[in-house]
Structures are given as structure tokens and as C-alpha cells.
Amino acid sequence: MDLQDQLKNLFPNHKAIPEEAIPEVEHDPSYSEQAKQLYIQKEPMICKFEKRKGKATTIIEGYEGSDDDFKVLAKEIKTKLSVGGTFKDASIIIQGDYRDKIMEILKMKGFKVKRVGG
């Protein structure tokens, strides 16, 4: 006894409505190109190392786009590195010294990055 038969036994007066087919949406390759264009900058972003209260932190500054895009970038970096951090005063603060990994991630996204300090 399948599910349809069980439902008919429970609800004998119910009439099933045929399901509508969901139209398939094709992938738009120009969308990914548009997303890449959001990150083009004239000046390089600065990735620097600081010690705050005796703990190592990596700070990323110099993003020229909107704060919302920068927050999305901060969340993506924190997720990829599995570390804590915050977005504060137009800069991303990451817990720990991850300059090399962060610079690699940003370069893959098309940013220009400059290493500062240490």
C-alpha cells in the first residue's frame, strides 16, 4: 500500500489536484561576469598584521565598494578559514595571522592586495 492509497483511506472525499511542473531556469553565464566586475578596484586592499591585547589579528582595509559587499566578503573569508572575526569601521578584523591565506583568497576573487607589517 503506497502513500496515495493510505491518503485515500484516511480522506475518502478528497480529490487530488495534479502537481504543476516547475519550469527549469537556465544558468546565465553573464551573471558571474557581472559579479566579478563588482570587485575591480583602482587601489590595492591592505592586509596587515597587528597584535591587540597580546593576540594576533589580521586586518583588511581599503575596499572601495559598498559596506554591504565588504560585509559579504568578510563573512566569506571567515567561513573559508573557519575563524572568528568582525567587520568594524570599514575594515575586516580576523582573529589570528592568516595574511597569506587571505591574500590568496582575495587574489582569486580579482582583488589587488598589498601586505603590510611583520
Side-chain angles (χ1 to χ4, degrees):
M1 186 178 248
D2 68 339
L3 181 62
Q4 293 296 330
D5 293 333
Q6 291 176 3
L7 288 173
K8 285 179 186 176
N9 289 338
L10 290 173
F11 306 102
N13 297 332
H14 179 70
K15 294 179 182 175
I17 300 173
E19 294 183 16
E20 295 179 13
I22 299 172
E24 291 189 27
V25 179
E26 293 184 25
H27 175 65
D28 185 10
S30 64
Y31 177 75
S32 59
E33 291 298 321
Q34 292 170 354
K36 289 181 183 177
Q37 291 177 0
L38 291 173
Y39 297 117
I40 295 175
Q41 296 202 165
K42 294 177 184 173
E43 297 294 320
M45 292 176 68
I46 297 171
C47 186
K48 62 183 177 179
F49 171 78
E50 282 186 10
K51 281 201 169 191
R52 293 187 176 186
K53 297 182 182 177
K55 297 184 179 182
T57 57
T58 304
I59 301 170
I60 305 162
E61 297 175 332
Y63 184 73
E64 297 172 358
S66 69
D67 282 349
D68 292 334
D69 291 340
F70 204 33
K71 287 179 185 178
V72 170
L73 181 65
K75 182 170 181 155
E76 187 175 334
I77 289 171
K78 292 189 298 182
T79 306
K80 282 188 177 181
L81 297 176
S82 300
V83 296
T86 186
F87 175 82
K88 191 186 292 184
D89 300 328
S91 63
I92 300 171
I93 302 168
I94 303 290
Q95 297 173 353
D97 185 9
Y98 293 98
R99 285 177 292 179
D100 296 330
K101 292 179 182 178
I102 291 172
M103 288 175 63
E104 187 177 309
I105 291 169
L106 293 175
K107 285 179 183 176
M108 286 175 56
K109 290 196 151 293
F111 288 104
K112 296 176 188 172
V113 185
K114 186 184 239 184
R115 183 180 174 133
V116 177

